[in-house]
């Protein structure tokens, strides 16, 4: 019989957090109300199904005429108003939002419209922290460097493959030579509880390349994205199950997270 422990864990967001599902809301999927400061997600297929052929033809023409550079420059709520379409009967969700412009919205991972943090995402983050801690503080840095060094003479044109080979080599060193020996098979993380809508907002996210920005601020910025995010300073529960083993325990796991987080913060301050 396996000897294991279950740990109830609360995850608190220190900043807005986005975990993408890979799906997006287009400009035709929502109506923004600047007075209520909300984005209303609508079932556009339902609107089409309830509309006459003339309205469908006019909307199709409107979309075609105002579509440019992969962006629709029309106003869907103005179109609904002019044709007296009651879009409020087709609302499927509403999200807090201060501004949006004419942009797509990257969706947060969800189940039946309710957002949550997947256990696989949490476990992946824990795995990264543990790997970093074992290399930097676990005395394996020199051995890791030796394993990577054998790839240095490969053709630079094969860089993506070289990175993959090096990554696999490091993972075998830290976690075990295969899935059967992987020490993280002893760890299971449940999906988090669901977030209520009041804790979700649409925000503008901007990515920066700090190294480029230090030389030229105009080169550091990446294109803006609008995303669904969990607001900062919100907590949600999940559960971690750990089979007791000699490789690591829960205390060691938490220390790894703290060490990695501190190192990441120090590095970003340095950049």
């Amino acid at each position: 019989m396996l000897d294991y422990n279950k740990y109830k864990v609360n995850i608190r967001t220190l900043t807005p957090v986005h975990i993408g599902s890979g799906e997006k809301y287009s400009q035709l999927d929502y109506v923004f109300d600047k007075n209520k400061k909300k984005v209303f997600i609508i079932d556009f297929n339902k609107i089409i199904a309830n509309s006459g052929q003339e309205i469908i033809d006019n909307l199709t023409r409107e979309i075609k005429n105002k579509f440019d550079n992969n962006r629709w420059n029309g106003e869907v709520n103005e179109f609904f108003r002019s044709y007296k379409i009651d879009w409020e009967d087709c609302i499927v969700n509403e999200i807090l939002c201060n501004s949006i412009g004419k942009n797509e919205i990257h969706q947060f991972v969800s189940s039946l419209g309710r957002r949550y943090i997947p256990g696989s995402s949490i476990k992946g983050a824990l795995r990264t922290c543990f790997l970093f801690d074992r290399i930097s503080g676990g005395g394996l840095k020199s051995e890791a460097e030796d394993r990577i060094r054998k790839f240095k003479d490969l053709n630079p044109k094969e860089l993506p493959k070289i990175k993959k080979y090096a990554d696999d080599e490091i993972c075998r060193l830290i976690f075990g030579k295969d899935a059967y020996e992987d020490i993280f098979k002893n760890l299971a993380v449940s999906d988090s509880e669901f977030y209520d809508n009041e804790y979700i907002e649409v925000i503008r996210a901007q990515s920066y390349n700090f190294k480029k920005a230090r030389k030229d601020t105009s080169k550091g910025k990446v294109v803006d994205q609008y995303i669904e995010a969990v607001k900062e300073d919100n907590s949600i529960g999940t559960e971690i199950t750990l089979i007791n083993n000699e490789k690591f325990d829960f205390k060691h796991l938490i220390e790894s997270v703290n060490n990695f987080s501190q190192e990441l913060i120090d590095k970003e301050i340095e950049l």
Side-chain angles (χ1 to χ4, degrees):
M1 183 175 179
L2 293 176
D3 180 21
Y4 64 89
N5 289 306
K6 290 182 179 288
Y7 301 91
K8 296 289 185 181
V9 177
N10 277 325
I11 301 173
R12 184 166 65 90
T13 55
L14 301 181
T15 65
V17 171
H18 171 76
I19 300 176
S21 67
E23 302 293 327
K24 302 175 186 176
Y25 293 122
S26 75
Q27 299 96 310
L28 295 170
D29 290 321
Y30 67 83
V31 173
F32 173 60
D33 189 319
K34 64 180 180 181
N35 295 320
K36 295 182 179 178
K37 294 192 178 301
K38 285 185 177 181
V39 163
F40 294 93
I41 309 301
I42 55 177
D43 184 345
F44 200 78
N45 290 328
K46 184 177 179 180
I47 288 176
I48 294 298
N50 294 336
S51 300
Q53 189 59 47
E54 180 183 357
I55 292 178
I56 295 174
D57 291 342
N58 288 336
L59 179 57
T60 302
R61 186 163 50 251
E62 175 94 0
I63 293 172
K64 183 178 180 180
N65 291 340
K66 295 186 177 180
F67 207 87
D68 180 55
N69 195 26
N70 205 32
R71 173 180 293 187
W72 189 57
N73 293 312
E75 292 285 351
V76 66
N77 51 339
E78 289 296 328
F79 182 88
F80 291 159
R81 188 178 296 112
S82 64
Y83 283 91
K84 296 181 173 57
I85 296 174
D86 189 3
W87 57 269
E88 293 185 2
D89 286 342
C90 301
I91 295 173
V92 295
N93 208 341
E94 56 186 70
I95 315 166
L96 297 172
C97 178
N98 286 323
S99 65
I100 184 64
K102 295 181 175 65
N103 295 284
E104 295 178 321
I105 301 172
H106 294 257
Q107 298 179 36
F108 201 98
V109 65
S110 65
S111 177
L112 300 177
R114 304 181 68 189
R115 289 79 162 183
Y116 69 99
I117 299 179
S120 58
S121 296
I122 301 170
K123 185 172 180 177
L126 293 174
R127 189 179 176 92
T128 298
C129 295
F130 184 80
L131 184 151
F132 172 84
D133 192 56
R134 285 297 302 274
I135 292 176
S136 63
L140 294 176
K141 184 176 181 179
S142 59
E143 186 174 349
E145 290 174 342
D146 289 341
R147 294 200 181 197
I148 294 175
R149 197 170 288 119
K150 64 183 180 182
F151 300 113
K152 70 181 180 65
D153 295 326
L154 295 180
N155 189 338
K157 293 182 179 179
E158 298 292 314
L159 186 59
K161 289 184 179 180
I162 295 173
K163 287 183 176 180
K164 179 66 168 62
Y165 295 152
D167 182 66
D168 290 344
E169 194 70 26
I170 294 300
C171 286
R172 281 192 287 269
L173 170 64
I174 303 302
F175 300 108
K177 65 181 182 180
D178 53 34
Y180 180 77
E181 290 191 359
D182 192 332
I183 60 174
F184 258 59
K185 72 179 182 180
N186 298 309
L187 181 74
V189 184
S190 302
D191 292 340
S192 78
E193 299 166 341
F194 291 111
Y195 284 100
D196 292 333
N197 253 21
E198 62 187 287
Y199 302 118
I200 306 295
E201 61 183 343
V202 173
I203 61 173
R204 183 180 67 171
Q206 295 177 303
S207 300
Y208 285 87
N209 184 313
F210 287 112
K211 290 184 178 180
K212 288 184 178 179
R214 278 192 303 178
K215 298 178 180 178
D216 185 345
T217 54
S218 65
K219 293 182 179 179
K221 182 180 175 182
V222 180
V223 178
D224 293 348
Q225 291 185 333
Y226 284 80
I227 59 175
E228 288 184 333
V230 178
K231 295 179 180 180
E232 65 180 273
D233 198 24
N234 281 288
S235 296
I236 203 76
T238 188
E239 185 175 78
I240 294 177
T241 301
L242 181 62
I243 299 174
N244 294 326
N245 63 96
E246 70 281 2
K247 298 290 185 180
F248 69 102
D249 55 24
F250 188 72
K251 181 181 178 181
H252 184 193
L253 193 64
I254 298 305
E255 289 175 349
S256 298
V257 173
N258 292 336
N259 292 339
F260 177 76
S261 299
Q262 188 59 57
E263 182 70 21
L264 193 61
I265 292 170
D266 291 342
K267 188 66 176 179
E268 290 190 351
I269 292 174
E270 178 186 329
L271 291 173

